[in-house]
């Protein structure tokens, strides 16, 4: 079988991305990089046509295109995955690989070709429904101009938890991930932390997310124990990790 890997346009790999997204039926952390123009695309082809692709971006999005963050290969050709992957690393010249560990196919190659592996974030999916209540505290949409103490307008989400008429927590869900998934986030004022407010807020954000036609997901830094605990308490589960590593020499 004759095959090749070449740098291509985003349009060239778009027919393959629905296959990638369907196989990986979860939130893709860096999905929006493609539409934002932050990527280089590489097409894997045989005599019969396109069979896979790789996507490269800067480690910090806007830097040099030096990090492979997405790789897909049609199942009938995966017996050659190691050979294709090694050639993709050579052709693209990347020095780093980034991977979600819940992408089982890609992660099997990641661990083969990466060294100095670093875990950067926990990735969460929704697991079960909770029924927390907060006495004298109300979850609702944020009103225009409403801000928490020591927070700016641009730090506020579309929803708040209010106590005595004042917002004490805020959050929202981002929609720039692969549909139908959305990304939950929240902030609680320092004076009101460790009172279960974060988990209550996340619980209510999950409901608002479903009502918007999206499936809630979330992430937090690997060392953020407080956020991890709140997410777990609110009925989410660790679905994987975002890991990166240097390309083996």
């Amino acid at each position: 079988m004759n095959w090749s890997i070449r740098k291509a346009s985003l349009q060239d790999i778009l027919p393959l991305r629905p296959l990638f997204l369907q196989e990986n039926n979860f939130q893709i952390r860096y999905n929006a990089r493609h539409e934002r123009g932050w990527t280089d695309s590489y097409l894997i082809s045989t005599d019969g046509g396109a069979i896979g692709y790789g996507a490269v971006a800067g480690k910090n999005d806007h830097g040099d295109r030096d990090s492979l963050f997405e790789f897909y290969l049609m199942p009938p050709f995966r017996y050659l995955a190691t050979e294709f992957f090694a050639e993709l690393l050579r052709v693209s010249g990347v020095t780093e690989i980034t991977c979600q560990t819940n992408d089982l196919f890609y992660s099997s190659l990641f661990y083969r070709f990466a060294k100095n592996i670093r875990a950067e974030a926990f990735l969460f999916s929704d697991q079960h429904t909770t029924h927390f209540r907060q006495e004298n505290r109300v979850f609702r949409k944020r009103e225009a101009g409403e801000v928490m103490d020591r927070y700016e307008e641009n730090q506020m989400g579309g929803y708040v938890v209010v106590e005595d008429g004042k917002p004490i927590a805020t959050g929202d869900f981002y929609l720039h991930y692969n549909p139908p998934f959305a990304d939950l986030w929240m902030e609680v004022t320092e004076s009101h932390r460790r009172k279960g407010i974060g988990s209550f807020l996340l619980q209510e954000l999950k409901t608002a997310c479903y009502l918007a036609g999206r499936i809630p997901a979330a992430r937090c830094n690997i060392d953020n124990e407080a956020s991890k605990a709140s997410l777990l308490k609110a009925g989410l589960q660790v679905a994987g990790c975002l890991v990166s590593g240097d390309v083996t020499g």
Side-chain angles (χ1 to χ4, degrees), residues 118-247:
R118 307 169 289 278
E120 300 174 7
F122 288 114
L123 306 172
F124 293 84
S125 61
D126 193 22
Q127 182 181 41
H128 63 269
T129 301
T130 57
H131 303 280
F132 300 123
R133 296 289 182 269
Q134 282 281 315
E135 191 72 23
N136 300 320
R137 293 171 182 140
V138 177
F139 170 87
R140 61 167 171 77
K141 286 189 175 182
R142 183 174 70 92
E143 297 177 359
E146 222 173 13
V147 295
M148 302 188 303
D149 289 342
R150 300 183 182 181
Y151 283 75
E152 301 293 333
E153 177 83 21
N154 61 8
Q155 296 174 295
M156 300 294 292
Y159 299 86
V160 289
V161 174
V162 176
E163 179 184 76
D164 297 328
K166 296 181 179 180
I168 57 171
T170 188
D172 213 325
F173 46 92
Y174 291 127
L175 298 177
H176 59 268
Y177 294 86
N178 50 308
F181 300 97
D183 192 61
L184 306 179
W185 67 271
M186 59 92 180
E187 286 283 342
V188 181
T189 56
E190 189 171 354
S191 60
H192 286 79
R193 293 173 185 170
R194 295 181 175 84
K195 298 179 181 180
I197 297 170
S199 296
F200 170 69
L201 172 57
L202 288 165
Q203 166 190 282
E204 300 303 305
L205 285 173
K206 282 169 54 177
T207 299
C209 189
Y210 279 118
L211 288 171
R214 294 298 190 108
I215 298 174
R219 58 189 167 83
C220 73
N221 290 340
I222 204 79
D223 56 354
N224 193 335
E225 290 297 328
S227 289
K228 180 184 177 184
S230 293
L231 288 160
L232 292 172
K233 187 177 177 181
L236 291 103
Q237 64 179 345
V238 175
C241 288
L242 183 66
V243 293
S244 62
D246 303 323
V247 175

Side-chain angles (χ1 to χ4, degrees), residues 62-86:
H62 302 293
D64 295 335
R65 304 288 170 84
D66 53 7
S67 179
L68 180 69
F69 73 94
E70 197 169 286
F71 180 73
Y72 175 76
L73 189 64
M74 290 180 177
F77 302 95
R78 291 184 181 176
Y79 70 100
L80 291 172
T82 300
E83 189 174 352
F84 288 152
F85 199 80

